[in-house]
Amino acid sequence: MVSHIFKVSLESDFRDYWTTGTYDEATVRFTPYSTMTDIGTPNQLIDYGTYYASKTFYDSSKDRQVLFGWIREERTVDDHGKPYGWAGAQSLPREISLGANGIRMLSYPIPEVASLRVEDSQQFLTWHVNEGDNLISVGPTGTTLDMELSVRVLDIPASIPGNYSVSCEVMVLATEDTAEWTSYGVMWAAGNWYMPNTEILADTYSVQPTSNDDPRECQGFCQEDANCFAYTYYQNGTCQLKGKTGPVSSQCTTCVSGIKSDEATTLSRLLYTNTIHSSLSTIDGHKKRYRAGEIPTAGYTQDQVFLRAVVDKSVLEVFAEKGEAVISRRTYPTRSDATNNYFSTIGGSCLFLDYVGWNLVLE
């Protein structure tokens, strides 16, 4: 049986989704597999970032389907790109394929992207980082980069606490004093303690403002409050703490939620990007946010994830497990020394394995 991919761009949230199924050429009818949910559910996003209005073409010379998308601005511009004179950026060309199960859509940069690497800039590194260690500087420095590595979380407890959370993080476009930096990485979290795109509908007994656009601050408020059973963070900076009257949840593409528990039954792997500290500018309406999406675990080593990231000045594209999860973001550093890269760990210990980095020729 031949699987087909159906792709759609939704104006409701300006994001692109996929589903897989069968296609009958005689009736011109696509039928999703019974295991697929409706278009518009978060686990069927092509890209967890600001990726939209993608187009594909068939490359007959190499028998592949190639996908391009539009990476929208994350700062205020008008319909004509003012005051910057332009708005948005084209993504890297990505080859579309199906995962090992023949159902999940993957997208990953075409091999030709590697021809842009400056070979004599290549850097290699493997490093063990504990929370609280000094930042580990990695090269090459610059604003156009291609980075490949695996990250492994260490010492996962046999009995996982309900509030377990460890992040292995790579900082890019960072100033030497880390006044500006953008990051990407993988968070291992107790199954119900960090749930992207989810809203808890239980009664709200407290509403807390957050000091920045980071759902983990809301998570911390719930952890510290003995009365809190669950939380929901909204992208407008609102943190709602929930009582023990549920929880009932619903889909919400601008929410993150979590539920307290004594012990976790599952461990989620989340690909994330963080632009909260990406720019010192306060006048451009930057949407400095933390975004995350789940990386499937079936067929992979649970404690390790392969990552590739491509940086092109204001564009960051991050791929986990060869395209099982993808996030594309925009970032706008203001300082000329925002060219450094660092390894960091939050909440535990991480091993950064087989890191290779290159500068790119993109002009």
Side-chain angles (χ1 to χ4, degrees):
M1 182 176 62
V2 177
S3 293
H4 288 74
I5 299 171
F6 180 79
K7 179 191 74 68
V8 64
S9 301
L10 296 183
E11 283 193 348
S12 58
D13 61 358
F14 297 102
R15 300 171 96 176
D16 283 17
Y17 295 82
W18 62 272
T19 190
T20 48
T22 58
Y23 179 68
D24 188 326
E25 290 189 16
T27 61
V28 195
R29 184 177 181 84
F30 173 84
T31 303
Y33 291 133
S34 60
T35 54
M36 290 288 95
T37 52
D38 287 340
I39 284 285
T41 55
N43 66 340
Q44 287 169 227
L45 278 163
I46 291 176
D47 188 304
Y48 290 118
T50 57
Y51 185 90
Y52 180 60
S54 58
K55 300 291 185 290
T56 69
F57 69 90
Y58 176 64
D59 179 3
S60 58
S61 66
K62 297 188 176 179
D63 189 27
R64 62 185 180 183
Q65 197 77 19
V66 179
L67 177 76
F68 285 91
W70 190 244
I71 304 175
R72 297 180 289 114
E73 290 294 322
E74 295 191 62
R75 60 184 175 182
T76 302
V77 295
D78 69 10
D79 291 341
H80 305 285
K82 292 182 179 179
Y84 307 103
W86 60 282
Q90 195 83 339
S91 74
L92 292 171
R94 306 173 184 175
E95 184 173 353
I96 296 173
S97 62
L98 290 172
N101 62 5
I103 294 177
R104 184 170 181 81
M105 174 183 153
L106 313 184
S107 65
Y108 196 69
I110 60 173
E112 290 85 341
V113 172
S115 68
L116 302 172
R117 294 168 175 170
V118 179
E119 291 302 327
D120 62 6
S121 70
Q122 196 174 49
Q123 302 283 317
F124 300 91
L125 188 68
T126 290
W127 207 275
H128 179 187
V129 184
N130 297 311
E131 184 177 34
D133 286 353
N134 292 331
L135 297 177
I136 306 302
S137 178
V138 297
T141 60
T143 59
T144 55
L145 302 164
D146 193 349
M147 314 169 88
E148 294 184 352
L149 72 157
S150 293
V151 291
R152 181 187 298 167
V153 63
L154 300 176
D155 305 322
I156 296 175
S159 179
I160 301 171
N163 63 345
Y164 181 83
S165 175
V166 177
S167 297
C168 304
E169 182 166 283
V170 181
M171 300 164 66
V172 296
L173 300 174
T175 57
E176 292 182 357
D177 60 0
T178 62
E180 290 185 336
W181 51 273
T182 298
S183 68
Y184 67 90
V186 178
M187 175 197 291
W188 281 262
N192 288 329
W193 187 225
Y194 190 98
M195 300 183 292
N197 307 299
T198 302
E199 181 180 23
I200 299 294
L201 302 179
D203 288 346
T204 300
Y205 71 86
S206 178
V207 178
Q208 301 279 349
T210 56
S211 59
N212 56 45
D213 213 339
D214 189 341
R216 293 172 299 180
E217 186 175 13
C218 185
Q219 184 185 62
F221 291 153
C222 184
Q223 177 64 27
E224 294 167 4
D225 190 329
N227 296 316
C228 183
F229 175 64
Y231 70 90
T232 294
Y233 166 84
Y234 300 86
Q235 260 184 16
N236 62 5
T238 300
C239 172
Q240 292 188 1
L241 304 184
K242 312 285 186 173
K244 286 191 177 182
T245 56
V248 176
S249 64
S250 69
Q251 178 184 325
C252 171
T253 58
T254 59
C255 303
V256 172
S257 294
I259 303 168
K260 269 187 180 176
S261 62
D262 294 329
E263 185 176 335
T265 56
T266 60
L267 189 64
S268 298
R269 308 185 309 167
L270 301 158
L271 176 67
Y272 71 86
T273 56
N274 184 358
T275 63
I276 293 168
H277 305 282
S278 62
S279 176
L280 294 174
S281 174
T282 59
I283 62 173
D284 295 330
H286 292 182
K287 298 172 183 175
K288 304 172 186 176
R289 291 175 176 162
Y290 182 100
R291 284 199 171 189
E294 189 160 1
I295 307 168
T297 57
Y300 293 96
T301 303
Q302 186 176 30
D303 63 352
Q304 184 168 314
V305 176
F306 174 77
L307 296 175
R308 183 178 180 187
V310 179
V311 180
D312 181 10
K313 297 180 180 177
S314 73
V315 177
L316 171 64
E317 298 183 58
V318 186
F319 304 84
E321 304 290 26
K322 299 285 189 175
E324 288 274 9
V326 185
I327 301 182
S328 299
R329 299 293 304 277
R330 302 297 306 281
T331 179
Y332 312 98
T334 63
R335 285 175 37 178
S336 61
D337 65 330
T339 59
N340 300 281
N341 316 302
Y342 301 102
F343 291 161
S344 175
T345 298
I346 303 168
S349 297
C350 295
L351 194 59
F352 295 81
L353 291 161
D354 303 323
Y355 167 80
V356 189
W358 298 264
N359 287 123
L360 298 176
V361 179
L362 293 174
E363 296 179 352

